[in-house]
Amino acid sequence: MVSSLLSVDETVAQSNETPLCFSINNPTFKPNHTIASAYFSAVFSGLGLSSNLFALLVLAKTFQHTKSRSRSSFLLFLGGLVFTDFMGLLVTGSIVVSYHITHFNWRQLDPHCHFCNFMGMSMVFYGLCPLLLGAAMAMERFIGINRPFSRSTAMTNSRACSTVAIVWVTAGCISLLPLTGLGNYHLQVPGSWCFLNISSEPLDMTFSLIFSLVGLLSLAVSFLLNTVSVITLLKVCCGQDSRQRRRDYEVEMMVQLILIMAIASICWCPLLMYILKAAVVSPVAVDPYSVLFYLRLATCNQICDPWIYILCQESRLRRVKLPMPSLGNSDRDPDSHSLLTHQIV
């Protein structure tokens, strides 16, 4: 009799045990239209998805008109970045909009935290990918401008695709760390999304540091390499041989990289710096509404980026379609105005 009562009590305790992903915010959140709504989430996600889809179409059209190897590899990097942003908005936006429309109960829908872990992994993966890809693109341009001859034989379209795949694998491995016990994903305010847990616990703090430092390091590498590339490009363009080589493509690509880096820094630095500060300096004073605000600011990066590609590539397509003047047999190809054009691309 006593053993049966004990078994019943153990069963009740297990059923009432709070899953790990809900342990911080328990009970689950109630709908709060002052900080979240289905209309806002749907418009935000729809705008981002349509912008990235349009950017993919523009990049595909530009890729068909491009004969320069350096430019085609750069376009593949851009395509990988746009595709990543599109999928990130599609996956995370679908979950957020569904929550605000149906107000589903996370505890009932996801009693074992599998769904919450999936969204947390998606947030980390699609957050790190654009930053890592920005650093990879900055490195590609740095080599193309400062080491043109070594780069011309090394960088191909297949190499560019392999680099994008390596970035995806790297971000994916980092996002999987909580499933191995390093950190945890938790439901966040206002109850529509899951993200890494910022706390003073050693494992949570370690994962928070990994996420923030990888993101900040990617931005720092982008800033350093892009700065050196711009300085080198200015020296060459203003040098004595500036008339011997055409700089349209190099300048256009560097302008895009600078804009990508600037937007990523504005959108992501507040969140990354806040996580770094909260995990190291004041792990107890974590404001969930500040995290929500910084996360929304970071998501704006996925909406702003596509318009950089759209505006730049549409301008390039219009120039390609203009009738080219006859300058001789060596200049009939719009992407090969001189043999020296590819020395610095």
Side-chain angles (χ1 to χ4, degrees):
M1 181 69 177
V2 175
S3 60
S4 62
L5 288 176
L6 289 176
S7 62
V8 171
D9 291 338
E10 291 177 356
T11 304
V12 173
Q14 290 178 359
S15 62
N16 293 331
E17 184 180 356
T18 301
L20 183 60
C21 59
F22 307 121
S23 59
I24 296 179
N25 302 306
N26 185 47
T28 54
F29 302 98
K30 295 180 180 180
N32 188 345
H33 295 284
T34 60
I35 59 175
S37 67
Y39 177 78
F40 173 82
S41 302
V43 171
F44 193 86
S45 301
L47 179 61
L49 289 173
S50 58
S51 299
N52 282 278
L53 183 59
F54 186 31
L56 279 174
L57 297 176
V58 172
L59 287 174
K61 185 186 300 183
T62 307
F63 187 82
Q64 294 177 352
H65 291 83
T66 299
K67 298 179 177 62
S68 171
R69 184 199 304 180
S70 62
R71 182 161 177 78
S72 62
S73 61
F74 186 78
L75 289 174
L76 288 175
F77 278 110
L78 289 180
L81 186 55
V82 175
F83 178 76
T84 303
D85 287 342
F86 177 83
M87 291 303 300
L89 285 171
L90 181 63
V91 173
T92 60
S94 300
I95 299 175
V96 172
V97 173
S98 299
Y99 171 81
H100 289 305
I101 292 177
T102 63
H103 301 298
F104 59 80
N105 189 305
W106 280 88
R107 291 285 299 271
Q108 296 178 358
L109 179 68
D110 187 28
H112 302 292
C113 293
H114 298 318
F115 190 45
C116 186
N117 287 335
F118 170 75
M119 187 173 188
M121 290 168 51
S122 300
M123 297 292 291
V124 171
F125 175 79
Y126 291 113
L128 288 179
C129 275
L131 303 180
L132 292 172
L133 283 173
M137 293 166 65
M139 186 176 298
E140 189 272 342
R141 279 291 81 209
F142 173 82
I143 297 175
I145 291 177
N146 294 274
R147 299 290 186 270
F149 295 106
S150 61
R151 188 262 179 197
S152 62
T153 57
M155 180 56 67
T156 60
N157 290 346
S158 59
R159 183 68 60 85
C161 293
S162 300
T163 304
V164 174
I166 291 174
V167 168
W168 287 343
V169 171
T170 302
C173 291
I174 295 176
S175 68
L176 288 172
L177 288 178
L179 300 186
T180 65
L182 185 61
N184 294 288
Y185 292 120
H186 284 264
L187 188 66
Q188 306 288 330
V189 173
S192 59
W193 61 294
C194 292
F195 196 50
L196 58 89
N197 182 35
I198 308 172
S199 72
S200 58
E201 294 294 330
L203 295 178
D204 289 336
M205 184 174 63
T206 300
F207 183 64
S208 298
L209 289 176
I210 292 175
F211 176 77
S212 58
L213 290 178
V214 169
L216 290 172
L217 181 61
S218 300
L219 291 174
V221 169
S222 299
F223 178 81
L224 178 62
L225 296 182
N226 286 335
T227 301
V228 175
S229 298
V230 169
I231 294 175
T232 303
L233 194 58
L234 288 176
K235 288 181 179 179
V236 176
C237 290
C238 299
Q240 296 180 354
D241 62 341
S242 59
R243 295 183 179 180
Q244 298 179 5
R245 286 180 283 189
R246 185 177 176 88
R247 302 294 173 202
D248 290 353
Y249 291 144
E250 294 92 327
V251 172
E252 178 188 320
M253 288 186 284
M254 284 310 306
V255 167
Q256 292 184 68
L257 273 183
I258 295 299
L259 291 176
I260 292 171
M261 180 190 67
I263 293 176
S265 299
I266 294 173
C267 294
W268 276 100
C269 275
L271 176 62
L272 297 174
M273 293 299 296
Y274 185 86
I275 294 176
L276 183 63
K277 177 183 176 182
V280 177
V281 180
S282 55
V284 179
V286 176
D287 183 10
Y289 293 96
S290 297
V291 177
L292 175 64
F293 173 77
Y294 294 138
L295 189 279
R296 287 176 173 174
L297 179 62
T299 308
C300 292
N301 183 42
Q302 298 171 312
I303 298 178
C304 297
D305 270 350
W307 291 102
I308 299 175
Y309 324 136
I310 292 171
L311 296 177
C312 291
Q313 306 310 325
E314 284 289 352
S315 176
R316 167 58 59 183
L317 285 174
R318 285 195 297 269
R319 289 200 297 270
V320 168
K321 292 179 180 179
L322 290 176
M324 299 296 296
S326 178
L327 298 177
N329 294 332
S330 62
D331 292 328
R332 290 178 182 174
D333 188 349
D335 277 338
S336 58
H337 291 275
S338 66
L339 293 176
L340 294 177
T341 300
H342 302 288
Q343 284 185 354
I344 194 168
V345 297

